[in-house]
Short mmCIF file of all heavy atoms in Angstrom, two decimals:
data_model
loop_
_atom_site.label_atom_id
_atom_site.label_comp_id
_atom_site.label_asym_id
_atom_site.label_seq_id
_atom_site.Cartn_x
_atom_site.Cartn_y
_atom_site.Cartn_z
N VAL F 278 5.60 8.78 34.51
CA VAL F 278 5.44 9.82 33.48
C VAL F 278 5.24 9.21 32.10
O VAL F 278 5.59 9.82 31.09
CB VAL F 278 6.64 10.80 33.47
CG1 VAL F 278 6.68 11.64 34.73
CG2 VAL F 278 7.96 10.05 33.29
N SER F 279 4.66 8.03 32.05
CA SER F 279 4.48 7.34 30.77
C SER F 279 3.59 8.13 29.81
O SER F 279 3.68 7.95 28.60
CB SER F 279 3.93 5.93 30.98
OG SER F 279 2.67 6.00 31.61
N PHE F 280 2.75 9.02 30.35
CA PHE F 280 1.89 9.83 29.48
C PHE F 280 2.71 10.71 28.54
O PHE F 280 2.27 11.01 27.44
CB PHE F 280 0.91 10.68 30.31
CG PHE F 280 1.57 11.65 31.24
CD1 PHE F 280 1.82 12.95 30.84
CD2 PHE F 280 1.94 11.26 32.52
CE1 PHE F 280 2.43 13.85 31.69
CE2 PHE F 280 2.55 12.16 33.38
CZ PHE F 280 2.80 13.46 32.96
N ILE F 281 3.90 11.09 28.95
CA ILE F 281 4.77 11.90 28.08
C ILE F 281 5.17 11.07 26.86
O ILE F 281 5.16 11.56 25.73
CB ILE F 281 5.99 12.42 28.85
CG1 ILE F 281 5.53 13.50 29.84
CG2 ILE F 281 7.06 12.97 27.90
CD1 ILE F 281 6.61 14.06 30.72
N LEU F 282 5.49 9.80 27.08
CA LEU F 282 5.83 8.94 25.94
C LEU F 282 4.61 8.71 25.05
O LEU F 282 4.75 8.56 23.84
CB LEU F 282 6.38 7.60 26.42
CG LEU F 282 7.75 7.65 27.10
CD1 LEU F 282 8.22 6.24 27.41
CD2 LEU F 282 8.76 8.37 26.25
N GLU F 283 3.44 8.69 25.63
CA GLU F 283 2.22 8.55 24.83
C GLU F 283 2.05 9.77 23.91
O GLU F 283 1.67 9.63 22.76
CB GLU F 283 1.00 8.37 25.73
CG GLU F 283 0.99 7.02 26.42
CD GLU F 283 -0.12 6.90 27.46
OE1 GLU F 283 -1.07 7.70 27.44
OE2 GLU F 283 -0.01 5.99 28.31
N TRP F 284 2.35 10.96 24.41
CA TRP F 284 2.28 12.16 23.57
C TRP F 284 3.30 12.06 22.44
O TRP F 284 3.01 12.35 21.29
CB TRP F 284 2.53 13.42 24.37
CG TRP F 284 1.43 13.84 25.29
CD1 TRP F 284 0.09 13.61 25.12
CD2 TRP F 284 1.56 14.55 26.50
NE1 TRP F 284 -0.61 14.14 26.17
CE2 TRP F 284 0.26 14.73 27.03
CE3 TRP F 284 2.63 15.07 27.21
CZ2 TRP F 284 0.01 15.41 28.22
CZ3 TRP F 284 2.39 15.74 28.39
CH2 TRP F 284 1.10 15.90 28.89
N LEU F 285 4.54 11.65 22.79
CA LEU F 285 5.59 11.56 21.78
C LEU F 285 5.29 10.46 20.77
O LEU F 285 5.62 10.59 19.60
CB LEU F 285 6.95 11.31 22.43
CG LEU F 285 7.53 12.50 23.18
CD1 LEU F 285 8.70 12.06 24.04
CD2 LEU F 285 7.96 13.58 22.21
N GLY F 286 4.66 9.39 21.21
CA GLY F 286 4.36 8.29 20.33
C GLY F 286 3.09 8.48 19.51
O GLY F 286 2.77 7.68 18.65
N SER F 287 2.38 9.57 19.77
CA SER F 287 1.13 9.79 19.05
C SER F 287 1.40 10.15 17.59
O SER F 287 2.47 10.62 17.24
CB SER F 287 0.32 10.91 19.71
OG SER F 287 0.89 12.16 19.42
N GLU F 288 0.41 9.92 16.77
CA GLU F 288 0.55 10.27 15.35
C GLU F 288 0.66 11.78 15.16
O GLU F 288 1.22 12.23 14.18
CB GLU F 288 -0.65 9.74 14.58
CG GLU F 288 -0.68 8.24 14.47
CD GLU F 288 -1.89 7.74 13.69
OE1 GLU F 288 -2.51 8.53 12.96
OE2 GLU F 288 -2.21 6.56 13.82
N CYS F 289 0.12 12.52 16.10
CA CYS F 289 0.11 13.99 15.95
C CYS F 289 1.47 14.62 16.26
O CYS F 289 1.88 15.54 15.58
CB CYS F 289 -0.94 14.60 16.87
SG CYS F 289 -2.61 14.03 16.53
N LEU F 290 2.13 14.14 17.30
CA LEU F 290 3.36 14.81 17.72
C LEU F 290 4.60 14.05 17.25
O LEU F 290 5.41 14.57 16.51
CB LEU F 290 3.37 14.97 19.24
CG LEU F 290 4.40 15.90 19.84
CD1 LEU F 290 4.32 17.28 19.20
CD2 LEU F 290 4.22 16.03 21.34
N GLY F 291 4.75 12.81 17.66
CA GLY F 291 5.92 12.02 17.25
C GLY F 291 7.17 12.39 18.02
O GLY F 291 7.20 13.34 18.78
N TRP F 292 8.21 11.61 17.82
CA TRP F 292 9.48 11.80 18.54
C TRP F 292 10.34 12.91 17.94
O TRP F 292 11.19 13.46 18.62
CB TRP F 292 10.29 10.50 18.50
CG TRP F 292 9.80 9.48 19.47
CD1 TRP F 292 8.93 8.46 19.20
CD2 TRP F 292 10.12 9.37 20.84
NE1 TRP F 292 8.71 7.72 20.34
CE2 TRP F 292 9.43 8.26 21.36
CE3 TRP F 292 10.93 10.11 21.69
CZ2 TRP F 292 9.52 7.87 22.68
CZ3 TRP F 292 11.02 9.72 23.02
CH2 TRP F 292 10.31 8.61 23.50
N PHE F 293 10.17 13.20 16.67
CA PHE F 293 11.06 14.13 15.98
C PHE F 293 10.35 14.69 14.76
O PHE F 293 9.28 14.23 14.38
CB PHE F 293 12.36 13.42 15.55
CG PHE F 293 12.10 12.24 14.66
CD1 PHE F 293 12.00 12.40 13.28
CD2 PHE F 293 11.94 10.97 15.19
CE1 PHE F 293 11.74 11.31 12.45
CE2 PHE F 293 11.68 9.88 14.37
CZ PHE F 293 11.59 10.05 13.00
N THR F 294 11.00 15.67 14.15
CA THR F 294 10.59 16.14 12.83
C THR F 294 11.79 15.96 11.91
O THR F 294 12.88 15.62 12.37
CB THR F 294 10.16 17.62 12.84
OG1 THR F 294 11.26 18.42 13.29
CG2 THR F 294 8.97 17.84 13.75
N GLN F 295 11.59 16.19 10.63
CA GLN F 295 12.70 16.06 9.69
C GLN F 295 12.94 17.39 8.99
O GLN F 295 11.99 18.13 8.71
CB GLN F 295 12.40 14.99 8.65
CG GLN F 295 12.46 13.60 9.25
CD GLN F 295 12.25 12.53 8.22
OE1 GLN F 295 11.17 12.40 7.68
NE2 GLN F 295 13.29 11.75 7.97
N ASP F 296 14.21 17.67 8.73
CA ASP F 296 14.53 18.87 7.97
C ASP F 296 14.40 18.58 6.48
O ASP F 296 14.04 17.46 6.09
CB ASP F 296 15.93 19.40 8.33
CG ASP F 296 17.05 18.42 8.01
OD1 ASP F 296 16.87 17.52 7.16
OD2 ASP F 296 18.14 18.57 8.61
N GLY F 297 14.67 19.56 5.65
CA GLY F 297 14.52 19.41 4.21
C GLY F 297 15.41 18.35 3.58
O GLY F 297 15.13 17.88 2.48
N MET F 298 16.46 17.97 4.27
CA MET F 298 17.38 16.96 3.73
C MET F 298 17.16 15.58 4.35
O MET F 298 17.94 14.66 4.14
CB MET F 298 18.83 17.40 3.98
CG MET F 298 19.19 18.71 3.30
SD MET F 298 19.02 18.64 1.51
CE MET F 298 20.38 17.59 1.09
N GLY F 299 16.10 15.43 5.14
CA GLY F 299 15.79 14.14 5.74
C GLY F 299 16.44 13.90 7.08
O GLY F 299 16.26 12.83 7.67
N GLY F 300 17.20 14.87 7.59
CA GLY F 300 17.81 14.73 8.90
C GLY F 300 16.78 14.89 10.01
O GLY F 300 15.78 15.59 9.84
N LEU F 301 17.02 14.23 11.12
CA LEU F 301 16.09 14.33 12.24
C LEU F 301 16.36 15.60 13.04
O LEU F 301 17.51 15.98 13.25
CB LEU F 301 16.24 13.12 13.16
CG LEU F 301 16.06 11.74 12.56
CD1 LEU F 301 16.01 10.69 13.66
CD2 LEU F 301 14.84 11.65 11.69
N ARG F 302 15.29 16.22 13.50
CA ARG F 302 15.36 17.42 14.33
C ARG F 302 14.40 17.24 15.50
O ARG F 302 13.33 16.65 15.35
CB ARG F 302 14.94 18.66 13.55
CG ARG F 302 15.83 19.00 12.39
CD ARG F 302 17.13 19.62 12.90
NE ARG F 302 18.01 19.94 11.79
CZ ARG F 302 19.14 19.30 11.52
NH1 ARG F 302 19.51 18.30 12.26
NH2 ARG F 302 19.89 19.64 10.51
N PRO F 303 14.78 17.76 16.68
CA PRO F 303 13.83 17.70 17.81
C PRO F 303 12.56 18.47 17.50
O PRO F 303 12.56 19.40 16.69
CB PRO F 303 14.59 18.37 18.96
CG PRO F 303 16.03 18.33 18.56
CD PRO F 303 16.05 18.37 17.06
N ILE F 304 11.49 18.08 18.15
CA ILE F 304 10.22 18.78 17.99
C ILE F 304 10.40 20.22 18.46
O ILE F 304 10.98 20.47 19.52
CB ILE F 304 9.13 18.08 18.81
CG1 ILE F 304 8.93 16.66 18.29
CG2 ILE F 304 7.83 18.86 18.79
CD1 ILE F 304 8.14 15.79 19.22
N SER F 305 9.90 21.15 17.68
CA SER F 305 10.06 22.56 18.04
C SER F 305 9.00 22.97 19.06
O SER F 305 7.97 22.31 19.22
CB SER F 305 9.94 23.44 16.80
OG SER F 305 8.60 23.45 16.35
N TRP F 306 9.28 24.08 19.72
CA TRP F 306 8.32 24.62 20.69
C TRP F 306 7.01 24.96 19.97
O TRP F 306 5.92 24.75 20.51
CB TRP F 306 8.88 25.85 21.38
CG TRP F 306 10.03 25.53 22.29
CD1 TRP F 306 11.35 25.75 22.05
CD2 TRP F 306 9.95 24.91 23.57
NE1 TRP F 306 12.10 25.30 23.11
CE2 TRP F 306 11.27 24.78 24.05
CE3 TRP F 306 8.90 24.44 24.35
CZ2 TRP F 306 11.56 24.22 25.29
CZ3 TRP F 306 9.20 23.88 25.59
CH2 TRP F 306 10.52 23.76 26.04
N GLY F 307 7.10 25.47 18.76
CA GLY F 307 5.91 25.81 17.99
C GLY F 307 5.05 24.60 17.67
O GLY F 307 3.82 24.66 17.73
N GLU F 308 5.71 23.48 17.34
CA GLU F 308 4.97 22.25 17.07
C GLU F 308 4.29 21.72 18.33
O GLU F 308 3.15 21.24 18.27
CB GLU F 308 5.91 21.19 16.49
CG GLU F 308 6.35 21.51 15.08
CD GLU F 308 7.53 20.68 14.63
OE1 GLU F 308 8.46 20.46 15.44
OE2 GLU F 308 7.52 20.26 13.47
N MET F 309 4.97 21.84 19.46
CA MET F 309 4.36 21.41 20.71
C MET F 309 3.17 22.31 21.06
O MET F 309 2.13 21.83 21.53
CB MET F 309 5.38 21.41 21.84
CG MET F 309 6.40 20.31 21.70
SD MET F 309 7.45 20.04 23.15
CE MET F 309 7.99 21.66 23.57
#
Side-chain angles (χ1 to χ4, degrees):
V278 292
S279 61
F280 61 93
I281 289 177
L282 292 185
E283 290 172 17
W284 287 331
L285 288 167
S287 74
E288 290 180 18
C289 300
L290 194 54
W292 282 96
F293 58 88
T294 60
Q295 289 183 292
D296 62 22
M298 299 300 289
L301 304 190
R302 297 285 180 250
I304 298 166
S305 71
W306 291 104
E308 289 165 319
M309 289 191 312

